[in-house]
Amino acid sequence: MEHNVFMDSSGSKTHFFLLEICILAIGTCGAVTITVPTELVQGIVGQSLQLPVNYTTGTKDQNIQITWTFQSQSSGSMLLVTATNNTLTPDMEHGHRFSLFPPNATLLINPVELCDDGEYTIKVTVSGEKMASASRQLTVHVNVPVSKPVVHSDPAWGAVEYVDNATLTCTVSKGTKVIYQWLKDGKPLPASNRHIFSADNKMLFISPVVKDDLSNYTCVAKNSISINESEPIAPNIYYGPYDLMVKSEPRFKISEGVFAVGKGEPVWFKCSANSNPPNVYSWFQKANNKTTPIHRGPVLNIMSEKVPEKADYMCCVYNNITGKRDETQFTLILSATGQERQKQKSSFLHSLVIIVGLTLTLIACILLYFILRRCFPRKVIKKEPYHRSPTDYIRAHQVSVEQEPSMDDYGIYEFVAVPEPAEFPQVPPDKLSTVYDIIRVPDIHTVYEVICQTPKTS
Ligand SMILES: *[C@@H]1O[C@H](CO)[C@@H](O)[C@H](O)[C@H]1NC(C)=O
Ligand SMILES: *[C@@H]1O[C@H](CO)[C@@H](O)[C@H](O)[C@H]1NC(C)=O
Ligand SMILES: *[C@@H]1O[C@H](CO)[C@@H](O)[C@H](O)[C@H]1NC(C)=O
Ligand SMILES: *[C@@H]1O[C@H](CO)[C@@H](O)[C@H](O)[C@H]1NC(C)=O
Ligand SMILES: *[C@@H]1O[C@H](CO)[C@@H](O)[C@H](O)[C@H]1NC(C)=O
Ligand SMILES: *[C@@H]1O[C@H](CO)[C@@H](O)[C@H](O)[C@H]1NC(C)=O
Ligand SMILES: *[C@@H]1O[C@H](CO)[C@@H](O)[C@H](O)[C@H]1NC(C)=O
Ligand SMILES: *[C@@H]1O[C@H](CO)[C@@H](O)[C@H](O)[C@H]1NC(C)=O
């Protein structure tokens, strides 16, 4: 038995040292073994707590002593309970909340108090023929669960963007060792140059606020035994006006900022801009070098028979908290034929499309014609010479020479090819008239002729 070896050489410093290591390392030596499932135990104030422990001893018929002691920074070290041979001896000063059921060494604390937070040591000693002991340490953390956190926004009435700062403070009525975390629209909010957290994270300082800070903020408070989340809070931030625009029925719009309406037709205009609080809207008419306030409110209705032929209108928006304003202007043209203008505009477009289409077709045809002519110069007319006798040509020639005046050149012309230059009597170049031409194509020796078929009336 290992134990015997130690006992035999008792007095030796080496063995005493080994014994120490043995106890520290596995909490056992010789006949006593202590096992604990966990060295860190979380306690909740007001509830009961167990410090579970198992131990074994090697031999029977011995005296067994179980001792629990407690150490903390605030209260120092103290004895809690002792059990000798199944007899429990609670400490008279501290023992009333601590108990165990020997030979079971598990310590029960009921109820747990905050001051129970600290280090616990169990020591089991057996004494019979030989003496042996072992001890283990456990850590207990005692906490109060966190209640639902509450967030306060300061200033409560709201903050003007780019001017004011805002502070959000998170508080919990209950909870110990609370850690705070901030969420913006459900996502963790990182610190930035505009978002500063206090050292304990209980406070979020926004300096200065902007429109983007108008979100739902929640504070998460947690400790090692619980987590609780506040209701979302959206600080009131005054901003704007932004994105000012004027809308009307699309059919009245001619171009950006210009509307046309037929005389007598009613027309409305709606002015909108993003702002908090809602803007104050006012409308002005600028005509004949005069600006006149005409309406208040976001929608302007115009009875077109009562207004000038052409006038500029202005929508002004004003945020009475931020003190910022914006304005936009548009032109309203009144015409007897307000609707016709539209129609004209579209019919003009229509005819433009037709003209362009026709022109393109024409160009395409001409191009096609030239391409075909380049590629297949003889294809269409090659057959012609076989159907005509040379006398035809001569007669035609004569006709054209006789009827010199170009007025008589009127008629239908044919474009023919003559296969062999030799078969056809060449005409001196000076005798060629404007209508009668001979074209020579050197490589294939083909002669093209143009014949005028003068109408019978001549
Ligand atoms: C103690 O021993 C029992 C039986 O051997 C076992 O069921 C239990 O889980 C052990 N408890 C601890 C704290 O080790
Ligand atoms: C403890 O119990 C053992 C046997 O279970 C017995 O031998 C011993 O005498 C007891 N000691 C005391 C102090 O009662
Ligand atoms: C010791 O006591 C505790 C609580 O009283 C119990 O949960 C545990 O099972 C007991 N252990 C043994 C080994 O009986
Ligand atoms: C949060 O705290 C409230 C009391 O303030 C409590 O009723 C609730 O159960 C807690 N929620 C959680 C998840 O602990
Ligand atoms: C906002 O906080 C800044 C410092 O971060 C300070 O200089 C400024 O005066 C504060 N503005 C208001 C309106 O309190
Ligand atoms: C905050 O959340 C509520 C409900 O989820 C939602 O209706 C509201 O628009 C949110 N507020 C902001 C500023 O995002
Ligand atoms: C409009 O007023 C300006 C000065 O306010 C003046 O110079 C201009 O001549 C006026 N135009 C007309 C058309 O009255
Ligand atoms: C500012 O404008 C809002 C909305 O138009 C209005 O309800 C409020 O009375 C105005 N406040 C002041 C101080 O003019």
Side-chain angles (χ1 to χ4, degrees), residues 127-189:
S127 74
E129 297 162 38
K130 285 133 201 158
M131 182 84 91
S133 78
S135 66
R136 289 292 295 261
Q137 208 167 50
L138 288 92
T139 305
V140 171
H141 285 171
V142 179
N143 280 297
V144 177
V146 285
S147 59
K148 199 180 181 75
V150 178
V151 178
H152 294 284
S153 176
D154 179 54
W157 63 275
V160 176
E161 74 164 344
Y162 299 116
V163 174
D164 291 330
N165 306 325
T167 307
L168 300 180
T169 311
C170 182
T171 47
V172 290
S173 57
K174 284 181 198 153
T176 48
K177 297 186 201 136
V178 182
I179 296 165
Y180 298 89
Q181 196 192 1
W182 290 90
L183 305 180
K184 181 185 179 186
D185 289 333
K187 291 186 219 69
L189 177 68

Side-chain angles (χ1 to χ4, degrees), residues 68-200:
W68 280 96
T69 51
F70 170 73
Q71 295 127 280
S72 77
Q73 288 201 330
S74 54
S75 53
S77 180
M78 57 183 159
L79 183 69
L80 298 175
V81 284
T82 309
T84 310
N85 247 14
N86 299 352
T87 311
L88 187 68
T89 319
D91 180 75
M92 287 178 81
E93 191 183 352
H94 310 107
H96 55 283
R97 291 188 295 111
F98 302 90
S99 61
L100 50 79
F101 301 99
N104 188 338
T106 297
L107 180 69
L108 298 171
I109 311 174
N110 192 21
V112 175
E113 287 176 7
L114 271 180
C115 60
D116 297 337
D117 192 295
E119 304 291 326
Y120 289 76
T121 308
I122 177 173
K123 187 177 168 201
V124 178
T125 309
V126 294
S127 74
E129 297 162 38
K130 285 133 201 158
M131 182 84 91
S133 78
S135 66
R136 289 292 295 261
Q137 208 167 50
L138 288 92
T139 305
V140 171
H141 285 171
V142 179
N143 280 297
V144 177
V146 285
S147 59
K148 199 180 181 75
V150 178
V151 178
H152 294 284
S153 176
D154 179 54
W157 63 275
V160 176
E161 74 164 344
Y162 299 116
V163 174
D164 291 330
N165 306 325
T167 307
L168 300 180
T169 311
C170 182
T171 47
V172 290
S173 57
K174 284 181 198 153
T176 48
K177 297 186 201 136
V178 182
I179 296 165
Y180 298 89
Q181 196 192 1
W182 290 90
L183 305 180
K184 181 185 179 186
D185 289 333
K187 291 186 219 69
L189 177 68
S192 71
N193 51 359
R194 286 198 311 107
H195 297 95
I196 301 150
F197 299 101
S198 64
D200 58 4

Side-chain angles (χ1 to χ4, degrees), residues 283-287 290-295:
W283 297 83
F284 297 88
Q285 188 191 66
K286 288 165 108 180
K290 219 167 61 184
T291 302
T292 343
I294 49 172
H295 184 62

Side-chain angles (χ1 to χ4, degrees), residues 204-314:
L204 166 61
F205 184 57
I206 309 175
S207 168
V209 294
V210 301
K211 178 172 176 273
D212 183 54
D213 295 320
L214 194 53
S215 306
N216 280 319
Y217 293 84
T218 39
C219 170
V220 178
K222 61 183 171 188
N223 59 19
S224 51
I225 54 160
S226 65
I227 182 163
N228 218 323
E229 191 173 310
S230 74
E231 288 297 321
I233 180 172
N236 191 13
I237 293 167
Y238 298 114
Y239 63 87
Y242 294 125
D243 310 324
L244 172 62
M245 61 177 176
V246 168
K247 276 195 293 190
S248 186
E249 282 175 76
R251 64 194 174 106
F252 294 133
K253 187 165 176 173
I254 286 186
S255 64
E256 203 50 51
V258 182
F259 297 86
V261 58
K263 216 179 187 102
E265 238 180 316
V267 58
W268 55 260
F269 293 96
K270 190 170 192 296
C271 194
S272 64
N274 189 3
S275 110
N276 180 35
N279 294 296
V280 177
Y281 294 88
S282 40
W283 297 83
F284 297 88
Q285 188 191 66
K286 288 165 108 180
N288 308 324
N289 222 357
K290 219 167 61 184
T291 302
T292 343
I294 49 172
H295 184 62
R296 278 179 169 272
V299 179
L300 174 68
N301 284 302
I302 293 180
M303 293 313 295
S304 58
E305 64 264 10
K306 292 178 189 159
V307 297
E309 296 276 300
K310 180 172 188 235
D312 289 337
Y313 292 85
M314 203 162 70

